[in-house]
Amino acid sequence: MRVRVEVNGEQRVADDVWEGESLLYVLRERLGLPGSKNACEQGECGSCTVYLDDVAVCACLVAAGQAEGRRVRTIEGDGLEEVQQAFLETGAVQCGFCTPGLIVAAHDLLRRDPAPADPDIREALAGNLCRCTGYEKIMDAVRLAASRAKGRAACD
Amino acid sequence: MEFMRPTTLAEALAMKAATPEAVPIAGGTDVMVEINFDKRRPGALLDLSSVAELSAWDLRDDGTRIGAALPYARVIAEVGERAPGLAAAARTVGSPQIRNRGSVGGNLGSASPAGDAHPPLLADGSTVEIASVRGTRTVPAREFFTGPKKSVLEPDELVTAVLVPAPRGPQQFAKVGTRNAMVIAVCSFAVALDTEALTVGTGIGSAGPTPLRAVEAERFAAGLDWDADLPESAARRFGDLVAQAARPIDDVRGTAAYRRHALGVLARRTLTWAWAEYRRSGCA
Ligand SMILES: Cc1cc2nc3c(=O)[nH]c(=O)nc-3n(C[C@H](O)[C@H](O)[C@H](O)COP(=O)(O)OP(=O)(O)OC[C@H]3O[C@@H](n4cnc5c(N)ncnc54)[C@H](O)[C@@H]3O)c2cc1C
Ligand code: FES
Ligand code: FES
């Protein structure tokens, strides 16, 4: 089947999509966007997290056809740079496999709650697994991104 | 495989009637796992995510009608106060990503004995609204499940909503798992106080072939002195009766004996919390 979907602000068309295929597969294998990672394909690791119509979801659990006519934003899209930068600066990226999903999940948290307490950060990132960092640097990254956003708000 | 995308409920029901073997997909958090792992190769998928009626909720005289495909995140945010037991259970489901997609209708569709939405629906006397081209019927949640992963749903039917009665007292949900997030329940328990009828509803999860009620525990609780604090002995007796009502098995998540023990503890605690809340609110 054919799937039309807006990805990172661009109208895209994927052809010959198998009806049981996931949005993750379409992004990575048909649209040339390998940023979202494929690790578990069962919603457990969060490395495939993307925005679907502004809602953070596991792309591996969205059927390709369910994305028809909708908007997707991946790690390749705009607006995530600040969180990305915070991850780089705090050493929250080691092998980097979990990073794209974590950045979307952290971004999603910060737009809902610009000053999250530590338990809220942990809760918001509970669906994202990292096998390298031990999570402490990731906590630092989210705190840094939050403090920068706060600093900017204070200067405005 | 065929991919069907109805945009109205009437269209969805017509498609389900014409192709009863089509597998509905709402949030996909169960269906896609099965497809990704080749455990299921349906001839057709019936996508419910574009049927607006199924992702809405509205107020009724006697409670709240929650559309089958309304994701947990919206159940929590939008109807949390009208369905406190269900919302408490929804908060424990998976992760934010899973709660953004997964739905009560999907939980009922899977009919897993471990489904977290089920115990609160049993405890508060909710009903399941089911529709087909033949018409609409309602089934008490307490009668919806017929066996492990089995329910009263006919091949041409869809779950359209759950009808959650307006809460008439405190409700609680508690679940045992190996960590605080992303766990299938080892066992779970929901309790709902009806401070007008002076009754207590119960729901046991993940400790039997279907979600269960603890009928003896409910009978015992109805006989309590509703003008007094809950004696510890009564909380303990309630817990014991709930444990006795369970029909657990040994599996990878826990032994039957552990489940029975843990359920007794959950039941004692949740009744104690709910009772304290009831006494504090002074609605005696
Ligand atoms: C990582 C992860 C963690 C999870 N954690 C939990 C948890 O903590 N607790 C828990 O209870 N569950 C959990 N689940 C399971 C799942 O998220 C829930 O069962 C959820 O409620 C399914 O909803 P859905 O909309 O995604 O269903 P789908 O996957 O779309 O559908 C599930 C089943 O129901 C059928 N169906 C869907 N909608 C309808 C309808 N309206 N009428 C008739 N049939 C229908 C489908 O055909 C399918 O058989 C988890 C899943 C994952 C991947
Ligand atoms: S690949 Fe989607 S959650 Fe792991
Ligand atoms: S950095 Fe390697 S998995 Fe997180």
Side-chain angles (χ1 to χ4, degrees):
Chain A
M1 68 177 170
R2 165 172 283 194
V3 174
R4 280 156 298 235
V5 54
E6 185 190 312
V7 184
N8 300 330
E10 241 179 89
Q11 273 307 322
R12 304 290 303 264
V13 178
D15 277 315
D16 301 320
V17 174
W18 175 58
E19 288 74 9
E21 209 162 288
S22 70
L23 170 62
L24 180 63
Y25 190 90
V26 169
L27 291 171
R28 289 178 55 86
E29 310 296 336
R30 301 197 186 274
L31 299 179
L33 293 167
S36 313
K37 297 292 178 251
N38 179 357
C40 73
E41 292 199 289
Q42 51 180 320
E44 295 281 344
C45 76
S47 63
C48 65
T49 305
V50 301
Y51 281 120
L52 176 65
D53 280 348
D54 256 353
V55 176
V57 304
C58 294
C60 70
L61 300 183
V62 176
Q66 292 186 300
E68 167 77 28
R70 303 197 188 271
R71 260 179 311 119
V72 173
R73 180 154 54 134
T74 70
I75 189 67
E76 290 97 341
D78 291 331
L80 304 168
E81 298 79 6
E82 210 170 73
V83 181
Q84 220 161 345
Q85 188 62 34
F87 269 67
L88 279 178
E89 288 176 28
T90 50
V93 182
Q94 287 190 25
C95 80
F97 208 82
C98 65
T99 312
L102 266 164
I103 285 177
V104 175
H107 182 266
D108 184 43
L109 164 68
L110 292 173
R111 63 185 189 152
R112 280 181 284 117
D113 179 359
D118 282 0
D120 299 327
I121 302 178
R122 288 183 196 281
E123 164 61 30
L125 304 184
N128 294 78
L129 299 182
C130 174
R131 299 186 63 173
C132 304
T133 63
Y135 301 100
E136 285 310 317
K137 304 283 181 194
I138 292 169
M139 295 293 294
D140 289 346
V142 179
R143 291 187 202 109
L144 177 64
S147 70
R148 282 200 180 140
K150 190 172 152 210
R152 221 187 22 258
C155 298
D156 283 348
Chain B
M1 194 186 290
E2 211 188 326
F3 196 88
M4 301 188 270
R5 299 190 77 225
T7 52
T8 64
L9 179 59
E11 217 185 321
L13 295 176
M15 288 173 173
K16 191 72 172 117
T19 316
E21 66 279 10
V23 172
I25 177 168
T29 60
D30 282 323
V31 174
M32 286 306 287
V33 174
E34 291 175 346
I35 293 178
N36 289 346
F37 283 79
D38 242 333
K39 286 192 194 133
R40 200 169 189 178
R41 260 308 123 91
L45 284 174
L46 178 65
D47 176 24
L48 303 179
S49 63
S50 296
V51 179
E53 292 109 301
L54 292 176
S55 298
W57 61 272
D58 58 276
L59 286 180
R60 295 290 160 99
D61 287 345
D62 47 355
T64 310
R65 181 178 177 279
I66 299 175
L70 189 73
Y72 291 116
R74 290 187 55 200
V75 170
I76 297 164
E78 297 173 29
V79 294
E81 278 168 27
R82 299 188 163 93
L86 181 62
R91 281 188 199 95
T92 75
V93 171
S95 61
Q97 291 93 322
I98 300 299
R99 294 193 291 276
N100 280 343
R101 293 287 292 172
S103 64
V104 176
N107 217 219
L108 290 165
S110 292
S112 158
D116 284 322
H118 310 147
L121 296 178
L122 262 58
D124 68 10
S126 291
T127 45
V128 182
E129 186 190 278
I130 297 170
S132 70
V133 289
R134 295 175 287 125
T136 300
R137 61 181 178 129
T138 54
V139 175
R142 292 163 179 170
E143 292 162 25
F144 180 80
F145 305 95
T146 54
K149 311 209 168 176
K150 290 201 172 62
S151 72
V152 300
L153 271 188
E154 298 289 342
D156 66 340
E157 288 180 320
L158 293 175
V159 175
T160 44
V162 288
L163 304 157
V164 179
R168 298 203 291 185
Q171 302 182 355
Q172 290 282 348
F173 174 83
K175 157 175 167 181
V176 172
T178 42
R179 64 183 267 225
N180 247 341
M182 295 289 271
V183 287
I184 303 178
V186 174
C187 61
S188 65
F189 184 71
V191 67
L193 267 54
D194 184 332
T195 61
E196 286 168 39
L198 304 185
T199 55
V200 171
T202 59
I204 296 173
S206 220
T210 64
L212 300 166
R213 273 172 90 184
V215 178
E216 285 303 319
E218 291 184 4
R219 200 168 294 149
F220 168 76
L224 289 168
D225 179 359
W226 287 71
D227 293 319
D229 288 344
L230 183 71
E232 208 195 309
S233 59
R236 208 164 282 283
R237 177 84 187 124
F238 181 76
D240 291 344
L241 289 170
V242 168
Q244 281 167 32
R247 289 191 278 142
I249 53 168
D250 294 332
D251 70 12
V252 287
R253 294 199 299 278
T255 63
Y258 173 72
R259 284 193 156 99
R260 207 183 279 285
H261 170 76
L263 261 176
V265 176
L266 292 184
R268 169 160 57 79
R269 285 189 193 155
T270 50
L271 182 68
T272 303
W273 296 332
W275 201 274
E277 191 183 331
Y278 155 65
R279 296 288 298 161
R280 263 199 316 277
S281 67
C283 43

